[in-house]
Amino acid sequence: MGNNEETLTPPSGDGAGPVARAAALRDVLRQGAEEADREGRLPEKTVLGLTEAGLMRLMTPRRLGGYQGDARTLLEVAIEVGRGCCAAGWITGVVNAGNFVVSLFPERTREEVWSDNPDARTALVLGRPVTTVENTAGGIVVDGRWGYASGCLHADWMGGLVLADDGSGRPAPHFALMPMGELTVEDDWRFTGMRGTGSNTVVADRVFVPRHRLLPYLPVLHGETDGLVDPGHAYRNSLTGIFSIGLIGSLVGGADEAFRHVRERAPHRPVAGSSYDSQAASPAFQADLAQAAAKIETARLLALSVTDRIDAHAAAGKNPDLVTRARARMESTHVTQLCREAVDILMTAYGSSAFAESSPLQRIWRDVNVGSRHAGFGMGIPQQVYGSALVGRDPRDISLLV
């Protein structure tokens, strides 16, 4: 999918690459994280910072003002953003995945989305379509609901699944791309963590979707994108691979931020009920810190290996086999588990004050615990998918998200 960090030209032309720009935003993101958690949406200052840094157009085609970037850059940006705010990192990942899907639509659609606004953002939902579709001249009319629509409060466009005629008279799943201005958002995101993602339900009430804003879902899901995109923007993996990259990046960044917070304060915090004048002097604390550090670094390295494998297939022009794709889902899931385990260790090591509402640790703990239980990572399905592939069965019999 494009090039690496060193060869990407920032759209605003200040000479810094997107990962460096994301790192430079960390203080702004930290300042807005509490408000995001309280209000159920990112603060405008956070959204403006991410947008002005070009971090919402990592996957937008270069000729339309984007980076046309690779999977590793998306991951590293999401990690940096997640260090400042897990919810912001999550939305950055989802929006860029949404923009990547838009880049696969016909040229007319791409022009419609980005010609006047290179920073246009697309929310994307991969859940089952709950819609009614009526065929009409030039397209379809949709009544539908799409839940868990992360980023919908900050998006210009929404990509949701519908069942539409595939040209043979049979219904098949398609992405329907709709302007957010023609949709309504039900404020129903009431979760313990990842509150700032504003992952509400989006509703369409007889919204017309022209034919050029419909894209067959299964070819995109399976990485069969030959001929759909510009040269140099080839993508060789299932959509599940690219979709999960930003999500796991957010969690790695959040876990690393929790580690930084605990480590920096250790020399100045006594160990209650002991003779140690600081946590840093306690062998038990040192052991906990080492264990958490190892889990976070393992998660980061494993996440990077997933992205590098995706980028290597793209560079070679080869689609990975089902075992490789199933492995990516399993390894992404393992990344989330390692992050959750590391944060749990850090909360215990820090002490009960980690759970004070004034502590950023409790927000990170909630965000990582909720984010790591996303449907793409949970309920034992990734393990079944990978195990099925390893014994020569088709893992898509268990889940299409491979």
Side-chain angles (χ1 to χ4, degrees):
M1 210 184 300
N3 303 309
N4 60 28
E5 166 77 2
E6 286 71 26
T7 59
L8 290 171
T9 302
S12 62
D14 70 354
V19 178
R21 285 166 169 257
L25 282 173
R26 198 173 305 164
D27 287 343
V28 170
L29 296 169
R30 284 175 182 157
Q31 291 164 12
E34 183 178 349
E35 181 182 341
D37 185 61
R38 183 178 65 250
E39 300 297 329
R41 62 184 299 150
L42 300 184
E44 288 307 310
K45 187 174 182 180
T46 294
V47 177
L48 183 63
L50 294 168
T51 302
E52 290 184 341
L55 303 183
M56 298 297 199
R57 40 175 152 159
L58 298 177
M59 299 298 175
T60 302
R62 186 174 291 109
R63 67 173 199 77
L64 290 169
Y67 284 108
Q68 198 167 305
D70 57 18
R72 185 178 183 121
T73 300
L74 175 59
L75 174 70
E76 292 183 341
V77 165
I79 289 173
E80 289 296 342
V81 176
R83 285 182 173 123
C85 174
C86 283
W90 190 275
I91 288 178
T92 300
V94 170
V95 164
N96 278 294
N99 282 353
F100 174 78
V101 170
V102 174
S103 78
L104 304 178
F105 275 77
E107 180 64 20
R108 178 180 175 184
T109 310
R110 289 180 266 171
E111 291 281 350
E112 190 175 356
V113 171
W114 288 307
S115 61
D116 294 330
N117 180 15
D119 288 311
R121 301 181 285 266
T122 307
L124 185 71
V125 177
L126 299 184
R128 248 178 226 179
V130 184
T131 59
T132 301
V133 174
E134 176 186 319
N135 291 316
T136 189
I140 60 174
V141 175
V142 178
D143 285 304
R145 299 171 59 83
W146 298 269
Y148 300 94
S150 298
C152 65
L153 297 174
H154 311 290
D156 303 282
W157 297 82
M158 162 76 186
L161 291 178
V162 301
L163 291 175
D165 189 346
D166 63 1
S168 67
R170 294 173 299 183
H174 286 69
F175 282 111
L177 186 64
M178 299 161 283
M180 281 301 302
E182 297 180 11
L183 306 168
T184 58
V185 176
E186 290 187 356
D187 184 13
D188 59 1
W189 181 244
R190 299 289 185 270
F191 270 60
T192 301
M194 285 292 180
R195 291 172 174 171
T197 62
S199 302
N200 296 292
T201 297
V202 175
V203 181
D205 182 8
R206 294 196 60 76
V207 172
F208 173 67
V209 182
R211 180 59 56 181
H212 68 273
R213 285 203 258 115
L214 290 172
L215 183 70
Y217 171 58
L218 292 180
V220 176
L221 184 65
H222 300 318
E224 298 163 356
T225 56
D226 287 332
L228 291 179
V229 293
D230 302 326
H233 193 44
Y235 176 55
R236 295 295 194 283
N237 198 25
S238 65
L239 175 61
T240 314
I242 196 67
F243 189 78
S244 69
I245 294 302
L247 308 188
I248 63 177
S250 166
L251 301 181
V252 173
D256 195 56
E257 175 67 7
F259 177 82
R260 181 200 64 81
H261 187 94
V262 172
R263 182 186 185 189
E264 287 184 354
R265 285 158 180 75
H268 314 293
R269 288 177 53 79
V271 179
S274 80
S275 60
Y276 294 116
D277 59 0
S278 75
Q279 290 180 329
S282 165
F285 178 88
Q286 295 166 16
D288 284 345
L289 201 64
Q291 189 177 11
K295 287 180 180 291
I296 295 168
E297 181 62 6
T298 301
R300 188 185 70 85
L301 292 173
L302 188 56
L304 286 170
S305 76
V306 172
T307 61
D308 290 349
R309 208 157 51 240
I310 290 172
D311 290 336
H313 279 90
K318 296 179 180 178
N319 212 31
D321 60 25
L322 283 172
V323 173
T324 302
R325 287 159 52 181
R327 175 184 171 188
R329 184 170 177 188
M330 179 69 245
E331 290 181 341
S332 295
T333 299
H334 193 49
V335 168
T336 71
Q337 293 170 338
L338 287 167
C339 291
R340 185 169 70 233
E341 291 167 2
V343 173
D344 282 349
I345 291 169
L346 291 167
M347 296 294 285
T348 301
Y350 193 79
S352 59
S353 62
F355 294 91
E357 290 187 358
S358 59
S359 171
L361 287 174
Q362 53 80 26
R363 183 184 64 251
I364 295 170
W365 177 71
R366 289 186 286 108
D367 285 347
V368 170
N369 268 272
V370 170
S372 64
R373 290 175 170 87
H374 183 276
F377 310 128
M379 297 173 284
I381 300 302
Q383 291 85 344
Q384 294 176 49
V385 163
Y386 189 35
S388 176
L390 287 173
V391 297
R393 296 178 179 270
D394 190 335
R396 293 169 297 186
D397 292 339
I398 298 169
S399 173
L400 287 175
L401 298 180
V402 183

